[in-house]
Amino acid sequence: MGDPAGIGPELTAKAWAALHTTGPHFLWLGDPATLPETTPTKIIAHPNEAAETFPHALPILPIPLTTPATPGHPTPANTHAITQSIAQATALTCAGETAAVVTNPIAKSVLAAGGFQHPGHTEYLAALCNIPGKELMMLASPHLRVVLVSIHVSLRHAIETLTTERIIATSRKTADALKRDFGIPHPRLAIAGLNPHAGEDGLMGLEDREIVAPAVEALRQSGIDATGPLPPDTMFTIDARKTYDAAICLYHDQGLIPLKTLDIAQGVNITLGLPIIRTSPDHGTAFNIAGHDKADPSSLIAALHMAATLATNRNRNPS
Amino acid sequence: MGDPAGIGPELTAKAWAALHTTGPHFLWLGDPATLPETTPTKIIAHPNEAAETFPHALPILPIPLTTPATPGHPTPANTHAITQSIAQATALTCAGETAAVVTNPIAKSVLAAGGFQHPGHTEYLAALCNIPGKELMMLASPHLRVVLVSIHVSLRHAIETLTTERIIATSRKTADALKRDFGIPHPRLAIAGLNPHAGEDGLMGLEDREIVAPAVEALRQSGIDATGPLPPDTMFTIDARKTYDAAICLYHDQGLIPLKTLDIAQGVNITLGLPIIRTSPDHGTAFNIAGHDKADPSSLIAALHMAATLATNRNRNPS
């Protein structure tokens, strides 16, 4: 569902319109009253009805809102419905009734005012799956995949908490996910440096030599094809991108600047490290344009395609 | 000249071949023995002979090397010749005999071993012009212009030395240069935030609120069209780039990642804040491919075009 006052309902209707003849098929957990009136919908009782329904109507497992949604005006009163949508989708997927969870955007501050205790989707899903703190964020577009060693912390905190162990753990989970979910038998990882020119032999900071290089060495010794620490400014050029399957980035903007600079529309957020497949569009609730039929569904459509691909691969390559 | 054991001589020959019928014309300060034998050259006695020579041969003001250059094998023995090339080009331009200085790449570590005291070209030029510490680095490509508040320091040091005053001074000089040298009467500046999402109201670091925001406010009050602090990951998207003339970036990779990700070939390094125009290609000496006729002259050619454009604009808009 995502926040029903954001662009989620509109994007869902557009994604169904774009995919209903081709698939992949999906069902929606939300309140039918929030969808555009022109979208054909059908209330279903069980996920196994979704496939046959999808070509004709958007299949819905209804979750009624507490308060009617007004586009652009979110309310904490609907916090329970929003979080129920996430929890039910996760439960269905854990039970094998659905293949993956795709989440529409939520607004942290709105949910927090409604009593929600988690910083965001990713952390809530990790808690629902009983693996808090083990989740990883990958952002993927047709041009680039990046995985973040630290996410939503200050740049100073990202530097202070950077350790060899965190880089190794992030890289290992990434390599596992690339094999199992992306179908890449011998994944190549590019490990970013922290400082300009990856420190240039210690002239510009010691972290690259003392923290990052030992991680790369340990990964290589354990048989993972890791290269680095790489100068951050040249590792995302068109030629450099051909040499690896994922970039391990040491702070939020090191990974998200190149990804969004290259392709804001088709970026997909993928949570690695969960027992289930979960993707989401790489944008927010966009309350400022909600209800105006302006929202671009490209990222949600890409997230749906990605979820289907990952689920297919994981079935082929069970761990 | 740049380092004669790097790709500088080869690039210069290729740039002359690409530009000799169209211009802009240039003269070269270097040792003719380092150029490919196929390049027609003519020793000139004064820069005013360059224009008529250029269509037929590369005009050269000779600077003999101490030791013959071997491509790929730099030697500190040629430090004096390399630095003389820079100093003479600067002196000619200060005297109005030439319109601009364009520098081929040098290698810091080689020159340092030869007794050179400056961290690089930019700082040496500032010293030659008697304004040490006032220089600024802009990187420009057809897609984006970025100016760096800090350059070759560790990421930790860039954060620790970030002040409202430095952001204001950098932004003012950038606005002046955009008016005078780029011919943009009302330049628009995008000021990057430091932290993810520009701190998200202090949730992820306080620098955006306490250091960056007051700089933007002061710039706006003084009549400069500045916007920010902007979330770093979304300020370089194709739509966002249309809304400003230069991005003020708070650390090296924040500016150089998007610039090089979009366009490694045509990036040009421009030194702002000098009394003369100076540009350079946005790459290094590439000792590993020197002498193999593999080097791409696109960035040097872009630097020569950029120097000519800036010099023309500055003549039209004298300060």
Side-chain angles (χ1 to χ4, degrees):
Chain A
M1 177 197 295
D3 195 304
I7 58 177
E10 176 184 336
L11 292 181
T12 303
K14 289 179 178 177
W16 175 80
L19 298 176
H20 73 284
T21 57
T22 60
H25 70 270
F26 59 89
L27 62 94
W28 191 60
L29 294 128
D31 188 327
T34 62
L35 292 169
E37 289 180 9
T38 50
T39 302
T41 59
K42 185 179 173 197
I43 305 294
I44 60 173
H46 189 276
N48 65 13
E49 298 167 43
E52 66 187 88
T53 304
F54 195 76
H56 317 291
L58 173 63
I60 300 179
L61 283 175
I63 298 193
L65 296 180
T66 306
T67 304
T70 308
H73 298 278
T75 166
N78 285 322
T79 295
H80 181 72
I82 295 168
T83 57
Q84 269 306 298
S85 168
I86 303 166
Q88 285 192 25
T90 304
L92 287 170
T93 307
C94 285
E97 304 284 355
T98 47
V101 175
V102 179
T103 55
N104 267 307
I106 56 174
K108 280 183 228 182
S109 55
V110 177
L111 295 184
F116 185 62
Q117 303 282 341
H118 305 274
H121 264 128
T122 305
E123 296 85 352
Y124 182 41
L125 283 154
L128 287 171
C129 293
N130 278 319
I131 54 148
K134 303 285 186 186
E135 69 279 8
L136 277 187
M137 188 186 284
M138 172 186 277
L139 285 295
S141 81
H143 309 282
L144 180 65
R145 296 186 194 97
V146 301
V147 178
L148 306 179
V149 173
S150 70
I151 311 180
H152 289 129
V153 296
S154 72
L155 186 56
R156 191 186 289 264
H157 191 73
I159 298 173
E160 286 167 356
T161 56
L162 185 68
T163 63
T164 300
E165 290 68 33
R166 287 189 67 173
I167 298 168
I168 292 173
T170 302
S171 302
R172 281 192 202 288
K173 280 187 223 167
T174 302
D176 288 346
L178 289 171
K179 282 185 208 173
R180 185 167 64 149
D181 297 340
F182 290 81
I184 300 170
H186 303 288
R188 301 162 302 167
L189 302 183
I191 318 287
L194 179 70
N195 292 300
H197 309 182
E200 200 163 328
D201 292 325
L203 290 173
M204 299 180 239
L206 300 176
E207 294 92 345
D208 296 283
R209 195 157 66 184
E210 297 179 355
I211 297 175
V212 188
V216 177
E217 182 57 29
L219 289 164
R220 295 180 66 84
Q221 288 193 357
S222 73
I224 290 178
D225 183 352
T227 310
L230 297 174
D233 61 340
T234 53
M235 68 182 278
F236 303 106
T237 64
I238 187 162
D239 287 337
R241 295 197 304 269
K242 294 172 189 159
T243 66
Y244 55 82
D245 299 300
I248 307 297
C249 295
L250 307 184
Y251 54 91
H252 182 274
D253 290 334
Q254 191 180 53
L256 267 59
I257 287 176
L259 189 103
K260 296 190 178 184
T261 298
L262 286 167
D263 190 348
I264 186 84
Q266 293 189 83
V268 176
N269 181 340
I270 303 158
T271 310
L272 306 184
L274 297 179
I276 59 171
I277 305 282
R278 181 258 171 158
T279 70
S280 75
D282 182 25
H283 56 64
T285 49
F287 292 127
N288 58 322
I289 58 165
H292 296 340
D293 196 29
K294 286 185 185 166
D296 179 351
S298 302
S299 185
L300 177 58
I301 292 170
L304 289 159
H305 276 298
M306 179 70 80
T309 302
L310 299 180
T312 304
N313 285 330
R314 189 176 288 195
N315 278 338
R316 278 200 204 113
N317 311 299
S319 59
Chain B
M1 176 196 296
D3 195 304
I7 58 176
E10 175 184 336
L11 293 181
T12 304
K14 288 179 179 177
W16 175 81
L19 298 175
H20 74 285
T21 59
T22 59
H25 69 271
F26 59 89
L27 62 95
W28 191 60
L29 294 128
D31 189 326
T34 62
L35 292 170
E37 290 180 9
T38 50
T39 302
T41 59
K42 186 180 174 198
I43 304 293
I44 59 173
H46 190 274
N48 64 14
E49 299 167 41
E52 65 188 87
T53 304
F54 195 77
H56 317 292
L58 174 64
I60 300 179
L61 282 176
I63 298 192
L65 296 180
T66 306
T67 304
T70 308
H73 298 277
T75 166
N78 284 322
T79 296
H80 182 71
I82 296 168
T83 58
Q84 270 305 297
S85 169
I86 303 166
Q88 285 191 27
T90 304
L92 287 170
T93 307
C94 285
E97 304 285 355
T98 47
V101 176
V102 180
T103 56
N104 266 308
I106 56 176
K108 279 182 229 182
S109 54
V110 177
L111 295 182
F116 184 63
Q117 303 283 340
H118 304 274
H121 264 129
T122 304
E123 296 84 353
Y124 183 42
L125 284 154
L128 288 171
C129 293
N130 278 317
I131 53 149
K134 303 285 187 185
E135 70 279 6
L136 277 188
M137 186 186 285
M138 172 187 276
L139 285 296
S141 82
H143 309 283
L144 179 65
R145 297 186 194 98
V146 301
V147 178
L148 305 180
V149 173
S150 72
I151 309 181
H152 289 130
V153 295
S154 72
L155 187 56
R156 193 186 287 263
H157 191 73
I159 298 173
E160 284 166 357
T161 58
L162 185 67
T163 62
T164 301
E165 291 67 33
R166 289 189 66 172
I167 298 168
I168 292 172
T170 302
S171 302
R172 281 191 201 288
K173 281 186 223 168
T174 303
D176 288 347
L178 289 171
K179 283 185 208 174
R180 186 166 64 147
D181 298 340
F182 290 81
I184 300 170
H186 303 290
R188 299 161 303 167
L189 302 183
I191 318 288
L194 179 70
N195 293 299
H197 309 181
E200 202 164 327
D201 292 325
L203 289 174
M204 300 180 237
L206 300 175
E207 295 92 344
D208 296 283
R209 195 157 67 182
E210 295 178 357
I211 297 176
V212 189
V216 177
E217 182 57 28
L219 289 163
R220 294 182 66 85
Q221 287 192 356
S222 72
I224 291 177
D225 183 354
T227 310
L230 297 174
D233 62 340
T234 52
M235 67 182 279
F236 303 106
T237 64
I238 187 162
D239 286 336
R241 296 198 303 271
K242 294 173 189 160
T243 66
Y244 55 82
D245 299 300
I248 307 297
C249 295
L250 307 185
Y251 55 92
H252 182 275
D253 291 334
Q254 190 179 55
L256 267 61
I257 286 176
L259 190 103
K260 296 190 177 184
T261 297
L262 286 167
D263 190 348
I264 187 83
Q266 294 191 80
V268 176
N269 181 340
I270 303 158
T271 310
L272 306 185
L274 297 179
I276 59 171
I277 304 284
R278 180 259 172 155
T279 70
S280 76
D282 181 26
H283 56 66
T285 50
F287 292 127
N288 58 322
I289 59 165
H292 296 336
D293 195 29
K294 285 186 186 165
D296 178 352
S298 302
S299 184
L300 177 59
I301 292 170
L304 289 159
H305 278 297
M306 179 69 80
T309 302
L310 299 181
T312 305
N313 284 331
R314 189 177 288 196
N315 278 338
R316 278 201 203 113
N317 310 300
S319 60

